[in-house]
Amino acid sequence: MSAPEQTEPTTAPQGPTPAARARRARVAAASLLMAAAAVVLALRLASRSSVLVVGVYGLLLILCGGVIELSRRGRTRLGTWLLAVGLVAALVMDGFVLS
């Protein structure tokens, strides 16, 4: 009788898991949207736009920060939906207030 061969334990694949990649993607998307909202807000302020527009983009900036925090805590689907709904709402309100 021969002794069973000893095999080394397999190591987990290196690199981020799919969930970690999804969290990073949501954080990156929210960060880019936050930067874009800040630029649009600055342009609206320069053109002496309505205070309501400033409020809409301010709320969008707050929402982006909330999405980043949700993504960091692992709630990426909720963060994605909030980001999409918030962006659409901000664009609709911008068009509604400016017209």
Side-chain angles (χ1 to χ4, degrees):
M1 259 202 211
S2 64
E5 289 186 25
Q6 293 285 341
T7 59
E8 293 184 26
T10 59
T11 59
Q14 299 296 333
T17 63
R21 285 194 302 266
R23 284 191 296 273
R24 286 183 189 157
R26 277 15 171 248
V27 168
S31 299
L32 288 174
L33 183 59
M34 185 181 274
V39 168
V40 171
L41 179 59
L43 292 174
R44 295 285 189 240
L45 285 173
S47 69
R48 308 240 190 265
S49 213
S50 170
V51 174
L52 290 175
V53 174
V54 174
V56 166
Y57 283 102
L59 288 175
L60 183 61
L61 289 170
I62 293 169
L63 178 71
C64 288
V67 168
I68 290 170
E69 186 59 31
L70 283 172
S71 294
R72 285 185 55 232
R73 293 177 185 237
R75 305 292 296 175
T76 54
R77 287 187 194 142
L78 177 62
T80 302
W81 281 105
L82 282 175
L83 192 62
V85 169
L87 177 61
V88 169
L91 292 175
V92 167
M93 286 301 297
D94 185 13
F96 178 72
V97 171
L98 284 178
S99 16

